[in-house]
Amino acid sequence: MKSLLYKTPVKSACLGAMMLLSLTACTDDHFDIMPATDTAGNTLWQNIQSRPELDSLQMILSRTKVIRKTTENSGNVMYYSQLLNTPQSYTLWAPLNGKYQQHTAKYYLDLLEQAEAIRNAEGAGTAEAIEANEIHERVGTQFIKNHLARFNYESNSGEQKVRMLNSKVCYYDMGANKFNGVNINAGYGRIVSSNGVMYVLDSSSPFAYNVYDYIEANQETLSKVNAILRDPEVEKEEFNEYLSTPGATDENGNVHYVDSVYTKTNTILDYAGAAIQNEDSLYIAVIPSDNAWDKAYDEVSQLYRYNKKYKYEWLKDKNQMGKTYPDGTKNLDADSLQNYNTNAALIRSMFFSPGDFDYEVNRSDSAKVIDYVLYHDSIESTNGVIYHNPKTGNNGSNPLFNNQKPVKASNGYVFAVGDYALHPSYSFQSREEVDLRYTTYVLSVSGGTATSILLQEGTNWNKEDVKGQVTDNRYCFFKSSGSTMEVYIRLDGIASGKYKISAEILPNRICEDNIVTVEGEEGEEVYKPQNTRFQAMLKYDDGTNVPSPSQTDVIEVDENEIKTYVLWDEVEFKRSYVNLPAGVDSFPYLVLRMPNKLLSKDNVNGLSVSRIIIEPIHE
């Protein structure tokens, strides 16, 4: 954007004002007053200057920089006073002196002085310039752009929905003399200007914090969440070619933009699917205070305890992993990986969209929305983490919300929790099911074969003799070749922690092809019981045993009913397999074993399995 020369109105006009009006002094706290003339020929800025009752607004406008990119540290500076002196068309709702809500005019002016002190301090560099720009941006967003909209809004008698420059939505009703709930001073009427129109308010328009604004505005108590969300590696400003206004092209074909627009991106929020800066969205946010964050970090970090090395790439012919990460003598930086994944898990899972709630919940009914998140048996965050409510049966509110009352934001509600009272086993440590209807998760079968069987009535389904349901009429049949059989099944996405592990197993004779009969006393065919027995083992990626105990006792399969058999009531994985470095596809695995001693002569000798169930143990 072309640089515009700006001179502080007080200093540049001080001598002329003293001569013309015989003033005895001119200070930085007051502006020269232009005589009131026909307003239509003046810009919005000139019409503001002509009114001493808007003196506070004048000072703020003239000292606040238009920030398009906080990392920008060049001499190409524009102030809002200059912006309102350009041909661009605006509507301004200007508050009278001494009538400011939320913060006084002095509050904003002190912030601006603080910004310049930071920028001009001895040894100040890029970091200080960015900090100063952020203060100017805050004043611009929360005050100036909260009173300023593009284009002219005519004085229609009905209520109008106005999109402000800070993207907030306000309601303007000229017939009722109201803007955003504030009285429009009828004595001033409609002040037409060459680049827009101005109305005078009896007080400033209140700034409505959205969820993102709320986090920023409460940095003292939410400093840890703020620091993570606003890390330069997480939150970035990028040039937006489509929203920018192109100008002339130089001799090299490069476009010079008259108005360059930068948009913010945030990798954590984008990954979470939480557009908490969007005024047209609706979110519930659970934001932990620093104390609550520390407690949550201590508990959730236990799910991300990493080993120094991981094996990966399964070798089917050897029933083991073939590669090691990191290779050689180097070890994985387990602490850094644990810290990153803990922070990411907490931040990405703090937001909930009512659009994902049960269909009967009316999003426009705030009481029902709040009641749903507090008392429903579970709620799902925008990134898919399910928070179970352990108090549902007692009509208790979910401990996640810490009995806090919600704070209304412009795009939802914020629960600022002072304690983290929900154990991770109710949220981040999720229940997993390994689907064995197909052979996808079967790594290999030693001493046998794996077949996905579809049961069909009238063809192969012995439906009348076996109790229970078969999901999608399909399961996996592992058949021994006559010697010890071992089935290797991968277990994906296991976080470190304690689990209960079960297997849903069908009687082999549910498929008529696997029914064994013998000749009865009178020559008829009689079913021969299978006496199917097996054991189970758990292995880490490197083949070492997961203890407690490493191998189950012999489990005998009921030949008359589909059942879920508990393999381990409690077993602890002491290394995490969640969010490992890119390219490392590592996992623990389950071994279902039928040794020679458990095989029976003339029997089918196989296992019919539909799924493996892994459930976190609640503390």
Side-chain angles (χ1 to χ4, degrees), residues 313-516:
E313 286 199 11
W314 182 261
L315 301 177
K316 190 172 183 178
D317 57 333
K318 295 183 178 180
N319 297 320
Q320 64 184 30
M321 305 282 198
K323 293 185 178 180
T324 303
Y325 178 89
D327 213 358
T329 59
K330 186 179 179 182
N331 286 329
L332 176 68
D333 189 349
D335 290 341
S336 294
L337 193 61
Q338 181 184 39
N339 179 65
Y340 174 82
N341 282 323
T342 303
N343 287 340
L346 287 169
I347 290 282
R348 291 168 178 168
S349 308
M350 296 191 307
F351 310 104
F352 306 86
S353 172
D356 298 329
F357 297 169
D358 289 348
Y359 69 90
E360 67 267 17
V361 178
N362 186 350
R363 294 181 60 189
S364 62
D365 189 333
S366 59
K368 288 187 177 179
V369 168
I370 298 301
D371 185 76
Y372 182 90
V373 297
L374 289 178
Y375 299 104
H376 200 258
D377 57 2
S378 66
I379 54 173
E380 185 174 351
S381 66
T382 55
N383 71 327
V385 171
I386 297 175
Y387 291 83
H388 297 278
N389 182 3
K391 297 184 178 182
T392 302
N394 300 320
N395 295 319
S397 65
N398 195 316
L400 175 69
F401 297 94
N402 193 224
N403 294 318
Q404 296 295 310
K405 292 184 178 180
V407 176
K408 180 72 174 72
S410 63
N411 62 347
Y413 302 89
V414 177
F415 288 85
V417 298
D419 188 20
Y420 192 81
L422 186 67
H423 192 270
S425 62
Y426 288 97
S427 52
F428 299 102
Q429 191 181 4
S430 59
R431 182 182 190 275
E432 304 289 344
E433 288 192 6
V434 182
D435 185 355
L436 290 180
R437 291 173 298 166
Y438 300 90
T439 59
T440 306
Y441 294 97
V442 179
L443 295 165
S444 55
V445 181
S446 173
T449 57
T451 307
S452 176
I453 292 182
L454 174 64
L455 295 175
Q456 295 177 295
E457 291 188 56
T459 303
N460 64 349
W461 194 347
N462 183 25
K463 194 170 185 179
E464 301 301 324
D465 290 344
V466 178
K467 297 179 182 178
Q469 301 296 318
V470 184
T471 304
D472 291 339
N473 304 337
R474 190 179 285 274
Y475 66 96
C476 203
F477 179 57
F478 304 104
K479 185 176 181 180
S480 168
S481 58
S483 59
T484 296
M485 179 178 70
E486 291 184 336
V487 180
Y488 296 83
I489 301 168
R490 62 183 291 160
L491 308 177
D492 285 336
I494 303 296
S496 46
K498 296 178 181 178
Y499 298 88
K500 174 183 175 181
I501 301 181
S502 308
E504 187 177 75
I505 298 180
L506 300 74
N508 290 336
R509 72 187 187 106
I510 196 169
C511 178
E512 293 182 349
D513 297 339
N514 294 325
I515 293 177
V516 176

Side-chain angles (χ1 to χ4, degrees), residues 37-38 49 62 79 88 190 318 347 349 423 486 505:
T37 58
D38 182 14
Q49 280 185 301
S62 65
Y79 292 82
Q88 298 182 58
R190 183 168 176 266
K318 295 183 178 180
I347 290 282
S349 308
H423 192 270
E486 291 184 336
I505 298 180

Side-chain angles (χ1 to χ4, degrees), residues 201-403:
L201 299 178
D202 282 344
S203 65
S204 61
S205 173
F207 176 75
Y209 291 96
N210 59 34
V211 174
Y212 183 87
D213 297 328
Y214 179 89
I215 298 172
E216 183 180 34
N218 290 273
Q219 294 189 36
E220 291 183 3
T221 56
L222 307 177
S223 65
K224 295 190 176 180
V225 174
N226 260 291
I228 294 170
L229 279 180
R230 288 169 177 78
D231 186 302
E233 293 301 314
V234 172
E235 186 167 79
K236 298 180 180 180
E237 291 175 302
E238 299 177 345
F239 175 67
N240 192 319
E241 178 183 352
Y242 300 102
L243 295 180
S244 300
T245 305
T249 304
D250 63 20
E251 62 275 9
N252 297 319
N254 299 315
V255 177
H256 290 268
Y257 288 84
V258 176
D259 186 10
S260 299
V261 176
Y262 291 83
T263 53
K264 282 186 178 180
T265 59
N266 189 294
T267 54
I268 288 178
L269 295 178
D270 292 346
Y271 185 93
I276 58 174
Q277 292 169 295
N278 189 340
E279 296 294 334
D280 296 323
S281 299
L282 183 64
Y283 292 98
I284 306 292
V286 180
I287 313 296
S289 68
D290 289 348
N291 289 335
W293 176 271
D294 289 340
K295 185 176 179 180
Y297 184 94
D298 289 343
E299 293 188 0
V300 175
S301 64
Q302 297 308 303
L303 304 179
Y304 302 101
R305 290 175 288 163
Y306 293 98
N307 205 37
K308 293 180 179 180
K309 291 183 180 293
Y310 283 87
K311 302 285 287 184
Y312 67 107
E313 286 199 11
W314 182 261
L315 301 177
K316 190 172 183 178
D317 57 333
K318 295 183 178 180
N319 297 320
Q320 64 184 30
M321 305 282 198
K323 293 185 178 180
T324 303
Y325 178 89
D327 213 358
T329 59
K330 186 179 179 182
N331 286 329
L332 176 68
D333 189 349
D335 290 341
S336 294
L337 193 61
Q338 181 184 39
N339 179 65
Y340 174 82
N341 282 323
T342 303
N343 287 340
L346 287 169
I347 290 282
R348 291 168 178 168
S349 308
M350 296 191 307
F351 310 104
F352 306 86
S353 172
D356 298 329
F357 297 169
D358 289 348
Y359 69 90
E360 67 267 17
V361 178
N362 186 350
R363 294 181 60 189
S364 62
D365 189 333
S366 59
K368 288 187 177 179
V369 168
I370 298 301
D371 185 76
Y372 182 90
V373 297
L374 289 178
Y375 299 104
H376 200 258
D377 57 2
S378 66
I379 54 173
E380 185 174 351
S381 66
T382 55
N383 71 327
V385 171
I386 297 175
Y387 291 83
H388 297 278
N389 182 3
K391 297 184 178 182
T392 302
N394 300 320
N395 295 319
S397 65
N398 195 316
L400 175 69
F401 297 94
N402 193 224
N403 294 318

